[in-house]
Amino acid sequence: MVEEETGVARASCEGDGDTSLNEAKEKEKRKDKRKKRLLKEAEKADKRGVCYLSRVPPHMDPLKLRQILSQYGEIQRVYLTPEDPAAQVRRKKSGGFRGQEFSEGWVEFTDKKVAKRVAGMLNGEQIGGRKRSSFYYDLWNIKYLSKFKWDDLTEEIAYKNATREQKLAMELSAAKRERDFYLSKVDQSKALSKIEERLKKKQKIDMVPKVVRQFPQKKPVVNGSEENKAQLSRDILAGVFGGSS
């Protein structure tokens, strides 16, 4: 019976070992597939080319830009930088276009040769299309960026966003310091005004003259008998000391 149990335990251990080996092999296969896929994507990324648009015509958005440039070659990604919010507010207040406009943009072509050819062919040319189009008379301002990859653009965008957030944080901190300084000055002025009010009240109290109340005094009433006693005493004293009355 004991031998049978030991045999079952060995079989279970061998089974666990096989499953762990199979899992390790599957992990290695997945890693190999992932590496191959990354290598292929890296090769494709090396073949791609990026064009830069220094000016984006009004009413142009990423969808329209892709639609126009797709006829010259296959496009992977398009990114347009939104305009400054302050400029958008000013334009809306003046009665201009109320939609979103863009200041600059980047277009990634699948083939860098196509990107270079498109930039050389379109730069400075009229965008064209239908005459009723809002950007019919606009010109292309497009340039091929040699040795520039889309990852460089994402890094640049991330850097700009971080710089903008840092600048915004500094402005908020400065505004908060100004507010705190103003509030402290307000508190100081209130305290000084209260002190001045107390001093003025104290001065008014000191300047008020003290009222000394005077009551008229009446002479005591002396009756006749008392006058006679006083006269008698004077006569006696005159006799003793030899004085004359």
Side-chain angles (χ1 to χ4, degrees):
M1 186 70 178
V2 175
E3 292 179 354
E4 290 180 356
E5 290 179 355
T6 55
V8 172
R10 288 177 182 176
S12 62
C13 291
E14 290 178 355
D16 295 337
D18 292 336
T19 54
S20 60
L21 289 173
N22 292 330
E23 289 178 356
K25 289 180 180 179
E26 288 180 357
K27 287 182 180 179
E28 289 179 357
K29 287 180 180 179
R30 286 197 295 269
K31 287 182 180 179
D32 292 337
K33 289 181 180 180
R34 192 180 299 111
K35 287 181 181 179
K36 290 179 181 179
R37 186 171 64 254
L38 292 174
L39 290 172
K40 288 181 179 179
E41 290 179 356
E43 290 177 357
K44 291 179 180 179
D46 290 336
K47 294 179 180 179
R48 295 170 185 171
V50 179
C51 291
Y52 171 68
L53 281 77
S54 60
R55 177 183 176 276
V56 180
H59 310 284
M60 179 78 75
D61 57 12
L63 183 62
K64 291 180 181 179
L65 183 62
R66 178 184 288 273
Q67 184 179 0
I68 293 172
L69 294 180
S70 294
Q71 58 184 341
Y72 302 102
E74 185 179 358
I75 295 175
Q76 291 293 326
R77 286 171 285 193
V78 176
Y79 176 76
L80 300 182
T81 304
E83 65 175 341
D84 186 17
Q88 185 178 6
V89 172
R90 288 194 299 270
R91 188 182 69 254
K92 289 182 179 180
K93 286 184 178 180
S94 61
F97 177 61
R98 304 186 64 84
Q100 178 68 59
E101 290 191 359
F102 304 91
S103 58
E104 57 183 355
W106 289 262
V107 181
E108 184 186 35
F109 288 87
T110 304
D111 192 349
K112 63 177 67 177
K113 294 180 181 179
V114 175
K116 189 174 182 179
R117 185 176 68 251
V118 170
M121 179 176 61
L122 295 181
N123 189 35
E125 297 294 328
Q126 184 178 346
I127 294 179
R130 296 181 180 180
K131 289 186 178 182
R132 293 182 180 180
S133 176
S134 57
F135 39 84
Y136 175 77
Y137 294 102
D138 283 305
L139 301 179
W140 287 108
N141 292 276
I142 185 169
K143 180 181 179 182
Y144 172 71
L145 300 178
S146 180
K147 298 180 181 179
F148 186 86
K149 300 301 178 185
W150 198 261
D151 293 338
D152 300 332
L153 174 61
T154 55
E155 291 177 1
E156 183 179 357
I157 294 171
Y159 174 75
K160 287 182 179 180
N161 291 335
T163 304
R164 185 171 61 254
E165 290 178 358
Q166 185 178 5
K167 184 178 179 181
L168 181 61
M170 291 176 64
E171 291 178 355
L172 291 175
S173 178
K176 186 178 180 181
R177 286 196 300 269
E178 291 179 358
R179 183 200 63 187
D180 294 340
F181 178 76
Y182 174 76
L183 292 176
S184 65
K185 290 297 182 182
V186 170
D187 294 337
Q188 289 179 5
S189 65
K190 288 181 179 179
L192 291 174
S193 63
K194 288 181 180 179
I195 292 172
E196 290 178 357
E197 289 177 0
R198 287 198 296 269
L199 290 174
K200 287 179 180 179
K201 289 181 180 179
K202 188 176 181 181
Q203 288 176 358
K204 287 180 180 179
I205 294 171
D206 295 338
M207 290 174 67
V208 173
K210 293 183 179 179
V211 178
V212 178
R213 297 182 179 276
Q214 297 181 356
F215 298 96
Q217 300 294 326
K218 293 182 179 181
K219 292 181 180 181
V221 177
V222 180
N223 53 20
S225 60
E226 290 179 353
E227 289 182 356
N228 295 329
K229 289 180 181 179
Q231 185 65 32
L232 180 61
S233 63
R234 284 196 297 270
D235 294 338
I236 293 170
L237 289 174
V240 173
F241 294 101
S244 57
S245 58

